[in-house]
Amino acid sequence: MQSSNIDWDKGDKDGLVSIGSHSLYLSVSGPDRKPGEPIVVLMQGVGSTIDEWVVVRKLVVPFARWLNYDRSGMGRSEGPSQTPPSISAASVAAELDTLLRNAGIEPPFIIVAHSWGGYTSREFLELRPNDVVGMVFVDCNTERFFDSGAWGWDVFFPVLGGQDFIETTGLATSHILSEEEWKAVRDEQADPRHQATEAAEMQAVPNDRRALDHKNQLEKLLLRDYPVSVIIADTPNDFQRMESLRVL
């Protein structure tokens, strides 16, 4: 059921949309959408809000309709009365499904997924396999994450050694956000509500990988002939730098 009379296919729109227990913040911009045209849907990584994607949005909206939203307990979205101890990728996908249906935003969808979004986007694909017509994976996790056997999730945080990933890897100075945009990102990350939600998302990551593995999507080829793009970051060098600074 549509929660409002807003036409999300035309003009720049934003607002809160109910998913039942609470409301999520939704923002849509770019060219007016004609029937049957896809809309790009952003699914961010753990602890990430739409504030981190403002530059990408500016690059996409001249030629494609762009939809981003903040997950429960993040950014401008409301959260449940009490943050759960664990927030799974499957539950995030289910909330997005409800959000889109309640807002009356029809498929087809092109998903842009980042990091943990590799799990949440694939769970969304599991829910709506006939409605996704393309995916862009930006340095995403997969069910084969840590399959090399060299090291596993149990040593991930010891390698970080309590360091600030953004500071150590140089993102604090190499980003291209404006000073105001960067402050918004850092202020959000420092918010206690945000931190509690991020911790709950992190708690579920190992189980997210196992849950997705059991669905055998890589063998089913759910996207058939639809395009898939993979963008890989410099993660090995990032972690090598963190490890070298940790031992110092």
Side-chain angles (χ1 to χ4, degrees), residues 45-62:
V46 163
S48 178
T49 69
I50 60 178
D51 286 335
E52 299 174 33
W53 288 81
V54 293
V55 173
V56 177
R57 184 193 66 80
K58 290 174 185 176
L59 293 173
V60 173
V61 294

Side-chain angles (χ1 to χ4, degrees), residues 134-221:
M135 301 186 80
V136 179
F137 295 107
V138 184
D139 205 35
C140 278
N141 298 340
T142 76
E143 58 270 48
R144 294 178 181 174
F145 195 40
F146 292 138
D147 265 3
S148 65
W151 59 297
W153 189 254
D154 57 332
V155 300
F156 183 80
F157 288 108
V159 166
L160 299 187
Q163 298 177 72
D164 186 319
F165 181 86
I166 291 176
E167 295 290 340
T168 304
T169 58
L171 287 173
T173 56
S174 64
H175 66 82
I176 57 175
L177 298 176
S178 70
E179 184 176 335
E180 182 180 2
E181 291 167 345
W182 181 244
K183 184 178 185 301
V185 170
R186 294 303 264 172
D187 286 350
E188 169 64 22
Q189 292 172 342
D191 186 279
R193 184 188 78 141
H194 177 106
Q195 293 175 349
T197 303
E198 180 178 2
E201 292 176 346
M202 290 292 294
Q203 181 67 31
V205 170
N207 289 333
D208 289 336
R209 178 175 62 85
R210 289 188 286 269
L212 195 57
D213 188 41
H214 291 317
K215 293 178 171 119
N216 297 315
Q217 281 190 359
L218 298 180
E219 289 74 26
K220 294 177 182 176
L221 301 176

